[in-house]
Amino acid sequence: MYGKFTKPFIDKIVAALAIIILSPVFLLVMVLLFTFQKGSVFYMQPRPGYKEKIFTLIKFKTMTDERDAQGRLLPDRDRLTWVGSFVRKTSLDELPQLINILRGEMSFIGPRPWLTEYLDLYTDDQRQRHLVKPGISGWAQVHGRNMVSWEQRFSYDLFYVQNQSFWLDLKIII
């Protein structure tokens, strides 16, 4: 009941309020990125969501599209601007995902959506991470984020899927 009705309702209400309250921050970040990176302010990428349905993840774009003489993108460290670095360090790049929540593609709490190319690598157990909506944060993020192994992240994601509740979400938020 919580995961199907209550949680999506709460997610959408909180996301709508957050967008309204944070709109000055949204606008400031957009202006800074547009001014100092000269281009699109949004980074959009297909990601697998609930039941492996592909959706477009939205984030603020923190790197330029600069390329070398052969047309290849420069290394990440050469394309990250000071504004992009600040936006990443403060996690402001995640704010546009509030739109994904409003559209019903994501939740505040759930397994982070990974790249679509990983789908073919999942075991049947690992596919269970797609039995809930992906989240901006999750059990794996509060237990080491990218510092834990691929297997441990899956283990944390499956723990969340099997134990999803209001109290677990609250514990993750806190």
Side-chain angles (χ1 to χ4, degrees):
M1 175 92 156
Y2 169 72
K4 279 196 173 215
F5 302 107
T6 309
K7 182 175 179 169
F9 178 75
I10 293 170
D11 280 342
K12 287 183 180 187
I13 297 296
V14 173
L17 290 171
I19 287 172
I20 292 167
I21 292 167
L22 297 172
S23 61
V25 176
F26 262 90
L27 290 172
L28 178 62
V29 172
M30 289 171 64
V31 167
L32 288 172
L33 289 172
F34 183 78
T35 302
F36 291 98
Q37 292 186 178
K38 308 284 192 244
S40 174
V41 297
F42 294 108
Y43 173 77
M44 298 187 205
Q45 186 177 52
R47 299 285 177 102
Y50 178 64
K51 295 186 178 179
E52 296 184 9
K53 182 180 178 200
I54 306 302
F55 72 99
T56 302
L57 180 84
I58 309 168
K59 294 178 87 168
F60 279 128
K61 188 174 181 179
T62 58
M63 289 190 273
T64 67
D65 293 324
E66 293 178 272
R67 297 178 181 271
D68 63 17
Q70 289 76 36
R72 294 180 302 241
L73 283 174
L74 294 175
D76 290 357
R77 69 184 182 298
D78 295 335
R79 296 184 300 128
L80 186 64
T81 64
W82 70 268
V83 175
S85 180
F86 173 77
V87 169
R88 273 192 182 181
K89 285 178 186 172
T90 56
S91 294
L92 291 172
D93 60 325
E94 308 282 351
L95 283 179
Q97 290 174 63
L98 293 169
I99 297 165
N100 291 117
I101 293 172
L102 275 180
R103 295 192 325 200
E105 300 161 331
M106 289 183 71
S107 179
F108 279 100
I109 305 297
R112 285 293 295 156
W114 289 3
L115 299 173
T116 55
E117 51 260 33
Y118 295 154
L119 281 172
D120 293 336
L121 304 175
Y122 293 166
T123 65
D124 288 340
D125 282 344
Q126 292 169 339
R127 286 190 182 287
Q128 291 180 43
R129 73 189 313 275
H130 296 287
L131 294 177
V132 298
K133 288 181 185 177
I136 293 176
S137 187
W139 194 240
Q141 281 65 45
V142 299
H143 284 92
R145 212 172 188 179
N146 295 332
M147 305 302 285
V148 295
S149 70
W150 169 275
E151 292 80 15
Q152 187 60 52
R153 278 189 257 173
F154 272 114
S155 176
Y156 288 138
D157 289 345
L158 294 181
F159 174 84
Y160 179 78
V161 169
Q162 294 162 358
N163 297 282
Q164 182 184 35
S165 69
F166 174 78
W167 299 112
L168 182 56
D169 284 358
L170 189 60
K171 186 174 183 178
I172 291 168
I173 290 168
I174 292 171

